[in-house]
Amino acid sequence: MPLIALTGGIASGKSTVASRLAAHGAVVVDADAVVRDVQSPGSPVLREIEDAFGERMLRSDGTLDRAALGAVVFGDPDRLAQLNAIVHPAVREESQRRFREAAAADPRAVVVYDVPLLAETRASDPWDLVVVAHAPVEVRVSRLREHRGMSEADARARIAAQASDAERLRLADVVIDTDGPLAQTEAQADELWKRLTAEA
């Protein structure tokens, strides 16, 4: 079973590539969804977050207030490291469980781990292939402003808070250039799928 890591910075087009691969039949494990699941109400991770950061991190319905937590950790490396020490081990365990589940269901499945923070958290894991969705910073800033309503300053801050393009590209076995028309990005994903299924 090929295990593929798909990464890219914010607004890089990574989700577009993941969706295209899923349409071809890949089993996509979304790291962001795993994070949300391990932080669900009543979970050990959410209790640890509450203990470490205070009950104001929870909404009245018991769910995590992501905006409040983000405001606390963004720009504070120590607090971010504290949060990561709580969340990342649980995410790793749950994602590995989902990989095993996919393999058990279909030993020939192509599993794609859609993971924005690969360079920051799981660069050394034994991936069969690392795919990076890449667009220049200025393009990503424009996308964040247009599609997410961010100010230019906020967009640049979000990009700067992640690994650099150079750090991600150093990990890449395959780079998908997303700085063009959607059809061009999808065509590159199609070529990748052909490669993955030929090797599988």
Side-chain angles (χ1 to χ4, degrees), residues 35 39 45-46 48-59 63-76 79-80 82-84 86-87:
V35 170
Q39 294 175 347
V45 168
L46 191 58
E48 284 190 63
I49 290 172
E50 182 183 3
D51 289 344
F53 295 92
E55 61 183 34
R56 68 185 186 285
M57 295 299 114
L58 302 187
R59 296 191 182 96
T63 59
L64 179 64
D65 187 334
R66 296 178 198 285
L69 183 60
V72 170
V73 302
F74 190 73
D76 186 333
R79 294 294 265 169
L80 180 59
Q82 184 181 14
L83 175 64
N84 288 344
I86 296 169
V87 176

Side-chain angles (χ1 to χ4, degrees), residues 1-3 27 29 89-113 122 127:
M1 179 193 79
L3 182 57
V27 177
V29 176
V91 170
R92 178 183 293 271
E93 182 179 336
E94 176 58 18
S95 62
Q96 293 294 139
R97 188 194 67 77
R98 295 185 189 195
F99 300 158
R100 291 192 299 270
E101 185 177 73
D106 179 4
R108 293 180 58 81
V110 175
V111 178
V112 176
Y113 190 40
R122 299 189 69 171
W127 310 108

Side-chain angles (χ1 to χ4, degrees), residues 137-155:
V137 168
E138 295 306 319
V139 171
R140 293 162 56 205
V141 168
S142 177
R143 288 173 179 169
L144 288 170
R145 295 183 69 188
E146 182 179 349
H147 301 300
R148 303 197 196 181
M150 289 187 186
S151 68
E152 181 170 347
D154 285 347

